Structure formats: C-alpha cells, structure tokens
Amino acid sequence: MHVLVTGASSGIGEALARAFSSRGDHVSLVARSVSKLEALAAELGRAQVISADLTVLESIDGVVDRAEAGFGPVDVCINNAGIQIVAQTVDVPVDEGERLLRLNLLAPLRLHARVLPGMIERGHGAIVDVASLAGIAPTLGMVHYSASKAGLAAASEALRAEVAKAGVHVVTVYPGPVKTKMAAAAMDRYDAPPAMLPTGTVEGLAKRVVRAVERKRDRVIYPDFYAAARHLPGATRWVMDRFSPVPPKR
C-alpha cells in the first residue's frame, strides 16, 4: 500500500510512518523539514520525501501529485500535521491563529477533497484524521487548537458514513497526553503544570492506528483511560473547567 503521512518529521507522524513502513508499505513523508525527512526516509527504505508547507493550501494538490508520481495512488491518507498555540486568546495574534487553523483544519479538508475521488473510483482506501482529545474536551489556553481539532473530528466523523458504501474507511484519532516535544513545549507554557494524568507514547498510538486501519475500526482514543470522555462530555467539560490551569500572558 501507499501511505501518505503529513507532519512525518517527528512525534506522532514519525511513529506512524515507521509503523506503516514496518508492514512493508510505501510511505510518502510530508513536512517542511527536508533534513529530518531525508534521514527518516533513508532509514525506512520504502519512503519518499515531499517537502511542503501545508499552511499554503494551494500547494496541497501538488503534494499529492508528487506522492502519486512516485508510489502510485494514495491508499491511506494520514492527516497528522499540526501546531499548537498555548496562550490567553487575547494575546494570540490574528495571523498566528489563522495559520494554525489552515494547517490543523483546512489542510486536512483539502487533502480529503484531493484523494477521495480516486479512492471512491477504485472502491477502496482509508483516511486517518489525527484530531485530539482537545476536540472533545476543549482546553483552556488552547482556543484555536481546540477549535481546529473539534472541527477536524466533526468532519472526520461525518465523512465516515458518507463514503463507507464507496469502500472508503475513515478513522478518527483522539490522542490524549502523548510524550512528544510539541506536547512538552505546550505544558511548559503553563505557570502551574496540569494535574498528572495517564500519558501515552507515540509508538503505542501508532500501533493502535495501524490496527484500526487493518480492522476498519472507526476511531482510536489513546491512552485508553480517556475513552469515557467521548461518552461523558458534560462530566469531562466540568473537570476541564475546574482543574485546567490558566496559561500565562505572552
């Protein structure tokens, strides 16, 4: 299979690329950092590097064109690229907030539009949207991030039923706390660290995503401790409002 992974240069994206490559899949690695992608591609073997800034939405058609020129039609499209802003909303410059929304929400929707027609025509394919637990339980100090992930989660969940009869499967992924550099940087922004809760690994998450694609499962919530959040939104919202620390001003 040909698997396209955005945000593949580090963290969750790198782990997903490794996990699919280990099955023998061909992997298109998409991110801005050429050097990191090239090092990963050299290690994986069945991989190609596609350097792109996905906040430039007009570049996305070209990203898919380059991927398919190398490895053929995209069988699995993984929307993982994302950024976080941790600050009080009044301190977030408008252009920074909108850039986040382009990368976290609009770019995945563009990729949906680009790869779905071919998947539907072929009668098979999978889309994996990496949302966030913040899309279920919006987090103080992450207004733009929470909005983007809630939007992506809603789009992903709605798309599943729309394309299922055409043979295309959609997996919506809700990572909770996972050990990455981006997550650590976000936590460092708070004056007082959030309460210690179960934290997962990128490798653990990647294994579950691969399993979801293989077994056509609808969603992944990881670590498992957070699965109840989706079914108890009111209680989850109360906990978040009660115990989340307020981020500092910039």
Side-chain angles (χ1 to χ4, degrees):
M1 288 201 310
H2 177 193
V3 182
L4 183 150
V5 184
T6 69
S9 59
S10 63
I12 293 172
E14 179 183 349
L16 288 167
R18 290 182 182 279
F20 279 96
S21 178
S22 69
R23 303 189 326 155
D25 295 326
H26 290 81
V27 183
S28 290
L29 307 169
V30 182
R32 292 185 301 168
S33 177
V34 174
S35 60
K36 290 182 180 179
L37 292 182
E38 288 179 342
L40 179 59
E43 185 180 343
L44 297 182
R46 298 182 183 88
Q48 62 181 347
V49 171
I50 301 174
S51 177
D53 181 354
L54 298 182
T55 65
V56 182
L57 299 176
E58 294 75 17
S59 72
I60 289 174
D61 282 349
V63 167
V64 177
D65 289 342
R66 281 183 281 163
E68 295 189 332
F71 290 150
V74 173
D75 297 298
V76 181
C77 179
I78 302 180
N79 288 302
N80 166 74
I83 53 178
Q84 285 181 327
I85 297 174
V86 181
Q88 294 186 34
T89 305
V90 294
D91 296 323
V92 178
V94 171
D95 60 338
E96 288 188 25
E98 292 180 348
R99 179 174 179 271
L100 181 152
L101 291 169
R102 287 198 301 275
L103 180 60
N104 292 16
L105 177 58
L106 297 183
L109 295 182
R110 283 261 187 150
L111 275 164
H112 288 176
R114 177 61 181 79
V115 302
L116 272 173
M119 290 181 176
I120 291 170
E121 182 179 353
R122 294 187 297 275
H124 68 86
I127 288 177
V128 178
D129 292 318
V130 181
S132 170
L133 193 67
I136 300 173
T139 306
L140 294 177
M142 296 187 185
V143 165
H144 292 86
Y145 182 78
S146 297
S148 70
K149 293 303 186 178
L152 179 58
S156 186
E157 297 278 4
L159 182 63
R160 183 179 304 112
E162 183 179 318
V163 299
K165 291 183 179 179
V168 180
H169 183 60
V170 178
V171 181
T172 313
V173 183
Y174 297 94
V178 174
K179 294 178 182 178
T180 65
K181 289 183 179 179
M182 186 172 78
M187 292 302 99
D188 286 345
R189 288 286 302 149
Y190 291 93
D191 287 331
M196 294 301 294
L197 291 171
T199 300
T201 65
V202 292
E203 294 82 9
L205 176 60
K207 287 179 182 178
R208 284 163 173 77
V209 171
V210 168
R211 191 179 305 133
V213 171
E214 292 174 340
R215 301 180 183 180
K216 297 188 184 303
R217 292 179 177 171
D218 291 345
R219 59 191 60 85
V220 174
I221 301 176
Y222 174 81
D224 298 339
F225 173 84
Y226 300 98
R230 182 171 176 270
H231 303 288
L232 300 169
T236 302
R237 181 68 265 154
W238 182 88
V239 171
M240 296 298 295
D241 289 345
R242 177 68 177 80
F243 296 106
S244 292
V246 176
K249 293 184 178 180
R250 285 192 166 188

